[in-house]
PDB file of all heavy atoms in Angstrom:
ATOM      1  N   ARG A   1       0.861  -1.217  -0.004  1.00  0.00           N
ATOM      2  CA  ARG A   1       0.000  -0.003   0.006  1.00  0.00           C
ATOM      3  C   ARG A   1       0.865   1.255  -0.006  1.00  0.00           C
ATOM      4  O   ARG A   1       0.579   2.212  -0.699  1.00  0.00           O
ATOM      5  CB  ARG A   1      -0.914   0.010   1.209  1.00  0.00           C
ATOM      6  CG  ARG A   1      -1.993  -1.052   1.195  1.00  0.00           C
ATOM      7  CD  ARG A   1      -3.169  -0.688   2.126  1.00  0.00           C
ATOM      8  NE  ARG A   1      -2.706  -0.408   3.467  1.00  0.00           N
ATOM      9  CZ  ARG A   1      -2.567  -1.312   4.473  1.00  0.00           C
ATOM     10  NH1 ARG A   1      -2.811  -2.590   4.192  1.00  0.00           N
ATOM     11  NH2 ARG A   1      -2.168  -0.948   5.649  1.00  0.00           N
ATOM     12  N   GLY A   2       1.930   1.238   0.791  1.00  0.00           N
ATOM     13  CA  GLY A   2       2.836   2.358   0.859  1.00  0.00           C
ATOM     14  C   GLY A   2       3.477   2.655  -0.499  1.00  0.00           C
ATOM     15  O   GLY A   2       3.627   3.814  -0.895  1.00  0.00           O
ATOM     16  N   ASP A   3       3.842   1.603  -1.232  1.00  0.00           N
ATOM     17  CA  ASP A   3       4.442   1.792  -2.544  1.00  0.00           C
ATOM     18  C   ASP A   3       3.416   2.380  -3.519  1.00  0.00           C
ATOM     19  O   ASP A   3       3.782   3.277  -4.322  1.00  0.00           O
ATOM     20  CB  ASP A   3       4.971   0.454  -3.063  1.00  0.00           C
ATOM     21  CG  ASP A   3       5.602   0.574  -4.435  1.00  0.00           C
ATOM     22  OD1 ASP A   3       6.662   1.179  -4.533  1.00  0.00           O
ATOM     23  OD2 ASP A   3       5.032   0.025  -5.397  1.00  0.00           O
ATOM     24  N   ALA A   4       2.174   1.933  -3.462  1.00  0.00           N
ATOM     25  CA  ALA A   4       1.134   2.490  -4.348  1.00  0.00           C
ATOM     26  C   ALA A   4       0.918   3.974  -4.067  1.00  0.00           C
ATOM     27  O   ALA A   4       0.750   4.782  -4.976  1.00  0.00           O
ATOM     28  CB  ALA A   4      -0.161   1.682  -4.192  1.00  0.00           C
ATOM     29  N   ILE A   5       0.912   4.311  -2.782  1.00  0.00           N
ATOM     30  CA  ILE A   5       0.712   5.725  -2.424  1.00  0.00           C
ATOM     31  C   ILE A   5       1.908   6.554  -2.858  1.00  0.00           C
ATOM     32  O   ILE A   5       1.765   7.700  -3.371  1.00  0.00           O
ATOM     33  CB  ILE A   5       0.506   5.863  -0.888  1.00  0.00           C
ATOM     34  CG1 ILE A   5      -0.804   5.195  -0.467  1.00  0.00           C
ATOM     35  CG2 ILE A   5       0.512   7.324  -0.444  1.00  0.00           C
ATOM     36  CD1 ILE A   5      -0.965   5.008   1.024  1.00  0.00           C
ATOM     37  N   ASN A   6       3.110   6.006  -2.723  1.00  0.00           N
ATOM     38  CA  ASN A   6       4.326   6.734  -3.152  1.00  0.00           C
ATOM     39  C   ASN A   6       4.303   7.001  -4.666  1.00  0.00           C
ATOM     40  O   ASN A   6       4.693   8.066  -5.093  1.00  0.00           O
ATOM     41  CB  ASN A   6       5.534   5.907  -2.768  1.00  0.00           C
ATOM     42  CG  ASN A   6       6.849   6.627  -3.114  1.00  0.00           C
ATOM     43  OD1 ASN A   6       7.069   7.773  -2.770  1.00  0.00           O
ATOM     44  ND2 ASN A   6       7.742   5.932  -3.848  1.00  0.00           N
ATOM     45  N   GLN A   7       3.888   6.020  -5.452  1.00  0.00           N
ATOM     46  CA  GLN A   7       3.746   6.212  -6.864  1.00  0.00           C
ATOM     47  C   GLN A   7       2.727   7.308  -7.213  1.00  0.00           C
ATOM     48  O   GLN A   7       2.943   8.084  -8.172  1.00  0.00           O
ATOM     49  CB  GLN A   7       3.400   4.896  -7.557  1.00  0.00           C
ATOM     50  CG  GLN A   7       4.497   3.857  -7.500  1.00  0.00           C
ATOM     51  CD  GLN A   7       4.129   2.605  -8.230  1.00  0.00           C
ATOM     52  OE1 GLN A   7       3.326   2.622  -9.148  1.00  0.00           O
ATOM     53  NE2 GLN A   7       4.697   1.464  -7.794  1.00  0.00           N
ATOM     54  N   MET A   8       1.670   7.376  -6.454  1.00  0.00           N
ATOM     55  CA  MET A   8       0.681   8.399  -6.650  1.00  0.00           C
ATOM     56  C   MET A   8       1.261   9.787  -6.332  1.00  0.00           C
ATOM     57  O   MET A   8       1.051  10.774  -7.070  1.00  0.00           O
ATOM     58  CB  MET A   8      -0.567   8.133  -5.769  1.00  0.00           C
ATOM     59  CG  MET A   8      -1.773   8.992  -6.127  1.00  0.00           C
ATOM     60  SD  MET A   8      -3.133   8.690  -4.972  1.00  0.00           S
ATOM     61  CE  MET A   8      -3.347   6.903  -5.184  1.00  0.00           C
ATOM     62  N   MET A   9       2.072   9.838  -5.288  1.00  0.00           N
ATOM     63  CA  MET A   9       2.687  11.113  -4.905  1.00  0.00           C
ATOM     64  C   MET A   9       3.710  11.563  -5.947  1.00  0.00           C
ATOM     65  O   MET A   9       3.935  12.787  -6.082  1.00  0.00           O
ATOM     66  CB  MET A   9       3.397  10.989  -3.534  1.00  0.00           C
ATOM     67  CG  MET A   9       2.447  10.970  -2.368  1.00  0.00           C
ATOM     68  SD  MET A   9       3.296  11.268  -0.776  1.00  0.00           S
ATOM     69  CE  MET A   9       4.381   9.882  -0.719  1.00  0.00           C
ATOM     70  N   GLN A  10       4.318  10.618  -6.660  1.00  0.00           N
ATOM     71  CA  GLN A  10       5.251  11.032  -7.704  1.00  0.00           C
ATOM     72  C   GLN A  10       4.531  11.849  -8.795  1.00  0.00           C
ATOM     73  O   GLN A  10       5.174  12.639  -9.487  1.00  0.00           O
ATOM     74  CB  GLN A  10       5.871   9.782  -8.364  1.00  0.00           C
ATOM     75  CG  GLN A  10       6.647   8.902  -7.399  1.00  0.00           C
ATOM     76  CD  GLN A  10       7.833   9.591  -6.703  1.00  0.00           C
ATOM     77  OE1 GLN A  10       8.541  10.344  -7.368  1.00  0.00           O
ATOM     78  NE2 GLN A  10       7.977   9.383  -5.450  1.00  0.00           N
ATOM     79  N   VAL A  11       3.226  11.636  -8.943  1.00  0.00           N
ATOM     80  CA  VAL A  11       2.483  12.328  -9.978  1.00  0.00           C
ATOM     81  C   VAL A  11       1.817  13.587  -9.402  1.00  0.00           C
ATOM     82  O   VAL A  11       1.866  14.639  -9.994  1.00  0.00           O
ATOM     83  CB  VAL A  11       1.418  11.369 -10.552  1.00  0.00           C
ATOM     84  CG1 VAL A  11       0.559  12.101 -11.618  1.00  0.00           C
ATOM     85  CG2 VAL A  11       2.066  10.118 -11.173  1.00  0.00           C
ATOM     86  N   THR A  12       1.175  13.422  -8.246  1.00  0.00           N
ATOM     87  CA  THR A  12       0.339  14.535  -7.721  1.00  0.00           C
ATOM     88  C   THR A  12       1.026  15.354  -6.647  1.00  0.00           C
ATOM     89  O   THR A  12       0.541  16.457  -6.290  1.00  0.00           O
ATOM     90  CB  THR A  12      -0.930  13.968  -7.111  1.00  0.00           C
ATOM     91  OG1 THR A  12      -0.630  13.119  -5.986  1.00  0.00           O
ATOM     92  CG2 THR A  12      -1.695  13.107  -8.139  1.00  0.00           C
ATOM     93  N   GLY A  13       2.142  14.857  -6.078  1.00  0.00           N
ATOM     94  CA  GLY A  13       2.746  15.529  -4.965  1.00  0.00           C
ATOM     95  C   GLY A  13       2.037  15.166  -3.658  1.00  0.00           C
ATOM     96  O   GLY A  13       1.003  14.490  -3.637  1.00  0.00           O
ATOM     97  N   GLU A  14       2.614  15.588  -2.517  1.00  0.00           N
ATOM     98  CA  GLU A  14       2.013  15.250  -1.217  1.00  0.00           C
ATOM     99  C   GLU A  14       0.599  15.778  -1.057  1.00  0.00           C
ATOM    100  O   GLU A  14      -0.218  15.186  -0.379  1.00  0.00           O
ATOM    101  CB  GLU A  14       2.888  15.788  -0.083  1.00  0.00           C
ATOM    102  CG  GLU A  14       4.215  15.044   0.061  1.00  0.00           C
ATOM    103  CD  GLU A  14       5.030  15.592   1.230  1.00  0.00           C
ATOM    104  OE1 GLU A  14       4.486  16.465   1.976  1.00  0.00           O
ATOM    105  OE2 GLU A  14       6.157  15.120   1.439  1.00  0.00           O
ATOM    106  N   GLU A  15       0.327  16.941  -1.687  1.00  0.00           N
ATOM    107  CA  GLU A  15      -1.002  17.564  -1.508  1.00  0.00           C
ATOM    108  C   GLU A  15      -2.070  16.789  -2.267  1.00  0.00           C
ATOM    109  O   GLU A  15      -3.260  17.038  -2.079  1.00  0.00           O
ATOM    110  CB  GLU A  15      -0.955  18.994  -1.991  1.00  0.00           C
ATOM    111  CG  GLU A  15       0.054  19.889  -1.242  1.00  0.00           C
ATOM    112  CD  GLU A  15      -0.202  19.904   0.256  1.00  0.00           C
ATOM    113  OE1 GLU A  15      -1.372  19.869   0.649  1.00  0.00           O
ATOM    114  OE2 GLU A  15       0.786  19.923   1.033  1.00  0.00           O
ATOM    115  N   GLY A  16      -1.656  15.898  -3.146  1.00  0.00           N
ATOM    116  CA  GLY A  16      -2.616  15.199  -3.958  1.00  0.00           C
ATOM    117  C   GLY A  16      -3.211  13.940  -3.314  1.00  0.00           C
ATOM    118  O   GLY A  16      -4.047  13.255  -3.906  1.00  0.00           O
ATOM    119  N   ILE A  17      -2.721  13.632  -2.095  1.00  0.00           N
ATOM    120  CA  ILE A  17      -3.254  12.455  -1.379  1.00  0.00           C
ATOM    121  C   ILE A  17      -3.803  12.907  -0.037  1.00  0.00           C
ATOM    122  O   ILE A  17      -3.515  13.983   0.441  1.00  0.00           O
ATOM    123  CB  ILE A  17      -2.124  11.388  -1.151  1.00  0.00           C
ATOM    124  CG1 ILE A  17      -1.021  11.974  -0.300  1.00  0.00           C
ATOM    125  CG2 ILE A  17      -1.602  10.867  -2.470  1.00  0.00           C
ATOM    126  CD1 ILE A  17       0.002  10.926   0.138  1.00  0.00           C
ATOM    127  N   THR A  18      -4.622  12.065   0.560  1.00  0.00           N
ATOM    128  CA  THR A  18      -5.222  12.390   1.860  1.00  0.00           C
ATOM    129  C   THR A  18      -4.181  12.280   2.978  1.00  0.00           C
ATOM    130  O   THR A  18      -3.149  11.594   2.817  1.00  0.00           O
ATOM    131  CB  THR A  18      -6.393  11.459   2.150  1.00  0.00           C
ATOM    132  OG1 THR A  18      -5.894  10.107   2.295  1.00  0.00           O
ATOM    133  CG2 THR A  18      -7.451  11.486   1.011  1.00  0.00           C
ATOM    134  N   LEU A  19      -4.467  12.889   4.094  1.00  0.00           N
ATOM    135  CA  LEU A  19      -3.605  12.809   5.255  1.00  0.00           C
ATOM    136  C   LEU A  19      -3.504  11.352   5.741  1.00  0.00           C
ATOM    137  O   LEU A  19      -2.443  10.893   6.162  1.00  0.00           O
ATOM    138  CB  LEU A  19      -4.081  13.705   6.357  1.00  0.00           C
ATOM    139  CG  LEU A  19      -3.264  13.720   7.687  1.00  0.00           C
ATOM    140  CD1 LEU A  19      -1.829  14.128   7.408  1.00  0.00           C
ATOM    141  CD2 LEU A  19      -3.909  14.642   8.705  1.00  0.00           C
ATOM    142  N   GLU A  20      -4.625  10.625   5.654  1.00  0.00           N
ATOM    143  CA  GLU A  20      -4.618   9.234   6.075  1.00  0.00           C
ATOM    144  C   GLU A  20      -3.696   8.390   5.227  1.00  0.00           C
ATOM    145  O   GLU A  20      -2.920   7.588   5.732  1.00  0.00           O
ATOM    146  CB  GLU A  20      -6.040   8.664   5.964  1.00  0.00           C
ATOM    147  CG  GLU A  20      -6.171   7.204   6.420  1.00  0.00           C
ATOM    148  CD  GLU A  20      -7.580   6.697   6.269  1.00  0.00           C
ATOM    149  OE1 GLU A  20      -8.492   7.429   5.834  1.00  0.00           O
ATOM    150  OE2 GLU A  20      -7.779   5.473   6.584  1.00  0.00           O
ATOM    151  N   ASP A  21      -3.692   8.607   3.881  1.00  0.00           N
ATOM    152  CA  ASP A  21      -2.784   7.906   3.010  1.00  0.00           C
ATOM    153  C   ASP A  21      -1.341   8.327   3.248  1.00  0.00           C
ATOM    154  O   ASP A  21      -0.430   7.455   3.206  1.00  0.00           O
ATOM    155  CB  ASP A  21      -3.150   8.166   1.551  1.00  0.00           C
ATOM    156  CG  ASP A  21      -4.292   7.350   1.062  1.00  0.00           C
ATOM    157  OD1 ASP A  21      -4.719   6.421   1.790  1.00  0.00           O
ATOM    158  OD2 ASP A  21      -4.858   7.665  -0.009  1.00  0.00           O
ATOM    159  N   TYR A  22      -1.124   9.551   3.608  1.00  0.00           N
ATOM    160  CA  TYR A  22       0.235  10.034   3.880  1.00  0.00           C
ATOM    161  C   TYR A  22       0.793   9.303   5.101  1.00  0.00           C
ATOM    162  O   TYR A  22       1.944   8.926   5.170  1.00  0.00           O
ATOM    163  CB  TYR A  22       0.225  11.539   4.102  1.00  0.00           C
ATOM    164  CG  TYR A  22       1.607  12.142   4.280  1.00  0.00           C
ATOM    165  CD1 TYR A  22       2.434  12.352   3.155  1.00  0.00           C
ATOM    166  CD2 TYR A  22       2.113  12.439   5.532  1.00  0.00           C
ATOM    167  CE1 TYR A  22       3.696  12.894   3.304  1.00  0.00           C
ATOM    168  CE2 TYR A  22       3.363  12.956   5.701  1.00  0.00           C
ATOM    169  CZ  TYR A  22       4.169  13.170   4.574  1.00  0.00           C
ATOM    170  OH  TYR A  22       5.436  13.692   4.763  1.00  0.00           O
ATOM    171  N   ILE A  23      -0.063   9.180   6.130  1.00  0.00           N
ATOM    172  CA  ILE A  23       0.382   8.466   7.389  1.00  0.00           C
ATOM    173  C   ILE A  23       0.660   7.007   7.037  1.00  0.00           C
ATOM    174  O   ILE A  23       1.639   6.421   7.541  1.00  0.00           O
ATOM    175  CB  ILE A  23      -0.693   8.612   8.447  1.00  0.00           C
ATOM    176  CG1 ILE A  23      -0.841  10.065   8.876  1.00  0.00           C
ATOM    177  CG2 ILE A  23      -0.379   7.725   9.658  1.00  0.00           C
ATOM    178  CD1 ILE A  23      -2.025  10.350   9.830  1.00  0.00           C
ATOM    179  N   THR A  24      -0.151   6.370   6.214  1.00  0.00           N
ATOM    180  CA  THR A  24       0.099   4.984   5.821  1.00  0.00           C
ATOM    181  C   THR A  24       1.442   4.869   5.089  1.00  0.00           C
ATOM    182  O   THR A  24       2.207   3.894   5.388  1.00  0.00           O
ATOM    183  CB  THR A  24      -1.039   4.488   4.879  1.00  0.00           C
ATOM    184  OG1 THR A  24      -2.275   4.548   5.570  1.00  0.00           O
ATOM    185  CG2 THR A  24      -0.785   3.051   4.411  1.00  0.00           C
TER     186      THR A  24
END
């Protein structure tokens, strides 16, 4: 899950994900 969120952040940046996903 962390790797999937990290790949999403590579596209959208930290602001593009929820705080809950950031903590995960």
Side-chain angles (χ1 to χ4, degrees):
R1 292 200 307 272
D3 180 68
I5 294 168
N6 182 52
Q7 292 183 26
M8 193 183 303
M9 283 195 299
Q10 301 300 319
V11 178
T12 64
E14 290 184 3
E15 301 303 324
I17 61 171
T18 64
L19 180 58
E20 181 182 359
D21 282 347
Y22 185 79
I23 295 172
T24 300

